[in-house]
Amino acid sequence: MRGHLGIRILQVIPTLLLVSIYVFCLQQLMPGDPALVLAGEERDPQVLAQIRAELWLDRPLVIQYFHWIGNVLTGDFGFSWRIRQPVAMLIGQKLPVTLQLGTMAFIIAVSIGVPMGIISAVNKNGFLDYLANGIGLAGLSTPNFWLGIMLILLISVQLGWLPPSGYVPLGEDWRQSLATTIMPAFVLGNAIAAVLMRHTRSAMLTALEQDYVRTARAKGLTEWVVVLRHALRNALVPVVTLGALELGTLLSGAVLTEQVFSVPGFGKLIVDAVFNRDYPVVQGVVLVTATVYVSLNLIADVLYVLINPRLRGA
Amino acid sequence: MRRPILAAALMAGVFATPLAAQDLPTLRIGLADDADALDPTLGRSFVGRIVFGGLCDKLVDLDARLNVVPQLAQGYEWADSKTLVFKLRPGMKFHDGTEVDAAAVKYSMERHLNMQGSARRGEISTLDRVEIVDPLTVRMVLKTPTAPFLAALTDRAGMIVSSKAAEAAGKDFSLKPVCAGPFKFVERVAQDHITLDRFDGYWNKDAIKLGRIIYRTVVDPSVRLANLQAGALDIAERITPTDVDAVKKNPKLKLAVYDGLGYQGITFNVGHGERAKTPLGQSALVRQAFNLAIDRAALVQVVYAGMYTPSAQAIPEASPFYASDVPAPARDVAKAKALLAQSGAKLPVVVDLTVTNSADQVQTGEVLQSMAAEAGFDVKVRAMEFAASLDADDRGDFAAHLIGWSGRADADGNLFNFLHTGAPLNVAGYSSKEVDAWLDEARAVTDVKARQALYGKIAVAHMTDVPLMYLYINKWITGMSTRVDGYIPIADGMIRPQGITLAK
């Protein structure tokens, strides 16, 4: 177990290095000269040349890459070309926002998706099953931006219960913070809940047909003990994997929702950076996202073992 | 090493909690975009200019009729066609308490001119030197007579920064800008908000009835409107034309709708590389035909609910340089067909039209497509991301490009760089000796009548050559709460806090 974990941690280093090279090369393929975007409406050749010189854009790619990665290794992510703030500071401002939003969305998703999946599996082909499936399908097929705007119009504009958009940090005023994030978290969680529900349902259906479930029933255990303690525990392994992946996706995949609710998060940071060809920000954000993603997978690996003791020998 | 930086940044993000300590109201303004660097020398974004309206005063400003009026300077005078003299108001202070004097003006102008990455250099490149006459008088000497120079100083090029703060901060000045505007910088969370607090040492502080301004970035127009409707914003810039009715019906909201300085048009590639070699690029008759095939009023009606002003000129009607004898041509399909026949081009004439990949631009492309089809054009609408389209423009890799210009206060700013041979924004590759001469002369003379005549000639020649086909003049549509009063609409689209009040 410990050796396995050690290898997994060592694998992280080359993975992140590859990611850094990949991102660096990929953005070179984007059409659109960063100097042109930065220069805005004034496209004087002299100005362009000066911008290129200042940002090292006139040097060979390999040199640009090593200059950047060298700085990153000493903790310096560089400056945003567009707004001239340090990338580390931007990430520091945005990461807590997205983590908060992602965590809330995930809690919402799990507390809706998993129970619905269980209920639906236990009542297979019954009314509750169809109902849960119907809700799940609706959740999956509702576009986030549409649901977001509808919620704003209903809850903020018509009823005036919650602020329509924006963000207040947790440390500043936790009530306001929850008030500004609950709608986007619900929108994000809604789609994930549907996926979790479908997976929980099918994993539970498989588990409920296993021999040990029959044995448990034969022992005279109540149905809920059988379902929750015996079947669910085994059914959860694939659900945890999926959960970890979805949580990772939340980091960068919340773009549309962040845009609709004007939440200054990670997704919005990277999308704006891509459109503005703000390379240092794109690189920094992708690297941090990759680190978080890889760490989440690592945590999922550890969780498998905790949930399913049989994996401990592996 | 990386961890402490990140940790410190995390703390800054979570625990930044400034408090308003004044009784005056806080004005919340919704911006359609995130500002870029908050340094008047480096800033390039439109919304950045709106924030500077609170932060940095300029030597001179524009009034509602686009006249140049005093701001930090209490007066100006052309000593001769190359020498401009400014007299400063006495006793003005920057946010750091240092004095706004001739030395500060000289420092700021030289910073605009020489700082690495300056976005102002092009606007004031004709400036030769700045001389201090006495502590409150500066003389700016130009290399050549340049009439539009003064108008450039009504924007960021005329903003004066504290030399002490700028020297101390170096390249980090944009993190904590220090100017002489009515509000001083408090904090900025990128993509979220910028907070400014009232500056008690402001020279014109009686005009300021607000304690704080929070500029919030709300990119999505429907969400910006929803924030305004829900009372989370007091002013929202750039309401979409199709949302105007919703604002009008709301008793708590009102609108300011007024002409801007910029236009939307089609740039034709008439002489920029291989892709100019099409009937459209080579024959002025084909372009004239295209011009006649389009019904501008119908286009604006369909796409923008009739909110913009159809026009065939780069200059808005409010400007003294608008040529009133060159109206937008009425649609005439028969004449367009005749011109096409006269040109000898093979039908249908293919027009490869690049548009930005936003819903309204694509829709505009489609409306142009269906109108032009009746006259014998086959318009192919090609949606492209904005940055990529700029790149294509610079390489000459386009045949026709639907693209706008935000506009400048002086007519020269909407014409010279696009039409003069070899000018930086002349991606059309247009070259006409006559037009070049008129553009040069209109820069050199300061007499308004003489300049009017020259720009009139250019407008007439433009209808024959059609290197750019202007479609409409943009309008600013600003939504605000009925509690807001004293908003002055000026064609540059800025939100000037002077005089704005907010009822409880």
Side-chain angles (χ1 to χ4, degrees), chain B residues 12-250:
Chain B
V14 177
F15 296 110
T17 56
L19 285 169
Q22 282 165 321
D23 298 333
L24 288 168
T26 297
L27 184 73
R28 298 154 304 168
I29 300 176
L31 303 179
D33 200 355
D34 192 34
D36 62 343
L38 288 182
D39 179 331
T41 303
L42 301 175
R44 292 182 159 97
S45 67
F46 173 76
V47 291
R49 289 168 62 197
I50 295 185
V51 178
F52 286 132
L55 205 53
C56 301
D57 265 17
K58 307 157 282 191
L59 285 172
V60 282
D61 198 7
L62 290 174
D63 70 6
R65 310 177 80 179
L66 297 184
N67 297 309
V68 176
V69 294
Q71 196 168 46
L72 290 175
Q74 62 183 353
Y76 64 88
E77 185 191 16
W78 285 101
D80 58 59
S81 63
K82 291 203 294 184
T83 313
L84 192 54
V85 180
F86 289 95
K87 200 92 187 131
L88 299 175
R89 296 172 197 278
M92 295 186 297
K93 295 259 189 286
F94 287 110
H95 301 150
D96 61 358
T98 56
E99 232 163 275
V100 183
D101 55 10
V105 174
K106 180 176 164 68
Y107 175 85
S108 294
M109 295 310 291
E110 285 172 357
R111 188 171 183 266
H112 288 324
L113 211 50
N114 302 323
M115 186 175 168
Q116 196 178 37
S118 167
R120 300 287 83 77
R121 190 180 301 109
E123 298 163 14
I124 55 167
S125 57
T126 174
L127 178 63
D128 183 49
R129 60 184 188 277
V130 182
E131 296 166 351
I132 301 175
V133 180
D134 64 51
L136 292 177
T137 313
V138 272
R139 187 187 298 132
M140 297 192 192
V141 182
L142 310 182
K143 292 173 194 157
T144 49
T146 315
F149 180 81
L150 182 64
L153 301 185
T154 64
D155 193 0
R156 291 160 296 192
M159 290 178 188
I160 307 302
V161 302
S162 154
S163 57
K164 189 180 149 206
E167 278 303 302
K171 290 182 94 173
D172 289 346
F173 184 72
S174 61
L175 298 183
K176 199 179 182 311
V178 180
C179 289
F183 291 83
K184 56 187 185 214
F185 181 80
V186 176
E187 67 159 353
R188 168 178 198 176
V189 175
Q191 293 168 317
D192 188 49
H193 70 271
I194 294 167
T195 304
L196 309 181
D197 268 356
R198 181 188 162 88
F199 171 48
D200 288 325
Y202 183 52
W203 66 271
N204 188 17
K205 70 174 176 195
D206 292 345
I208 304 302
K209 312 272 195 269
L210 303 165
R212 164 174 278 194
I213 303 181
I214 300 174
Y215 298 92
R216 278 188 50 205
T217 305
V218 187
V219 178
D220 190 293
S222 350
V223 179
R224 210 157 53 244
L225 175 64
N227 274 274
L228 190 67
Q229 289 167 330
L233 289 175
D234 305 308
I235 297 181
E237 63 132 353
R238 283 181 273 174
I239 298 289
T240 48
T242 42
D243 283 337
V244 163
D245 270 351
V247 178
K248 279 186 179 159
K249 279 183 195 144
N250 191 323

Side-chain angles (χ1 to χ4, degrees), chain A residues 9 131 157 176 185 245:
Chain A
I9 291 174
L131 185 69
V157 178
Q176 270 305 103
L245 286 177

Side-chain angles (χ1 to χ4, degrees), chain A residues 38 41 43 82 94 165 277, chain B residues 34 44 190 385 394 406:
Chain A
L38 274 175
E41 289 191 322
R43 282 182 277 157
R82 186 175 133 82
K94 315 295 175 192
S165 69
R277 305 292 189 269
Chain B
D34 192 34
R44 292 182 159 97
E385 188 232 2
D394 267 35
S406 68

Side-chain angles (χ1 to χ4, degrees), chain A residues 31-33 36-48 50-51 54 72 74-77 79 82-86 88-96 149 152-153 156-157 164-167 169-172 259-262 264-265 268-269 272 274-275 277 291, chain B residues 1-2 5-6 9-10 13-17 33-37 42 44-45 114-119 121-123 171-172 174-175 188-192 216-220 222-223 226-227 229-230 232 385 387-388 390-391 393-394 404-408 417 424-425 427:
Chain A
D33 177 353
L36 261 182
V37 181
L38 274 175
E41 289 191 322
E42 307 290 343
R43 282 182 277 157
D44 192 325
Q46 254 186 323
V47 173
L48 292 177
Q50 212 188 13
I51 293 176
E54 189 197 346
V72 166
T74 61
D76 178 7
F77 280 78
F79 265 75
R82 186 175 133 82
I83 61 172
R84 309 239 167 199
Q85 287 191 345
M89 183 176 141
L90 289 173
I91 292 176
Q93 283 177 347
K94 315 295 175 192
L95 193 57
I149 289 180
I152 292 178
L153 288 179
S156 305
V157 178
S165 69
Y167 175 74
L170 260 182
E172 192 175 313
Q259 187 92 335
V260 168
F261 289 96
S262 300
K268 210 155 134 31
L269 182 66
D272 285 2
V274 168
F275 281 129
R277 305 292 189 269
T291 311
Chain B
M1 190 55 206
R2 172 168 129 202
I5 292 180
L6 260 182
L10 278 169
V14 177
F15 296 110
T17 56
D33 200 355
D34 192 34
D36 62 343
L42 301 175
R44 292 182 159 97
S45 67
N114 302 323
M115 186 175 168
Q116 196 178 37
S118 167
R121 190 180 301 109
E123 298 163 14
K171 290 182 94 173
D172 289 346
S174 61
L175 298 183
R188 168 178 198 176
V189 175
Q191 293 168 317
D192 188 49
R216 278 188 50 205
T217 305
V218 187
V219 178
D220 190 293
S222 350
V223 179
N227 274 274
Q229 289 167 330
E385 188 232 2
L390 288 185
D391 215 25
D393 274 6
D394 267 35
W405 174 244
S406 68
R408 296 292 179 266
N417 275 344
L425 298 172
V427 292

Side-chain angles (χ1 to χ4, degrees), chain A residues 119-120 123-137 197 201:
Chain A
I119 292 170
S120 148
N123 298 289
K124 188 183 169 193
N125 294 335
F127 171 71
L128 285 176
D129 186 20
Y130 288 124
L131 185 69
N133 270 307
I135 296 174
L137 195 64
M197 177 255 156
R201 180 179 182 273

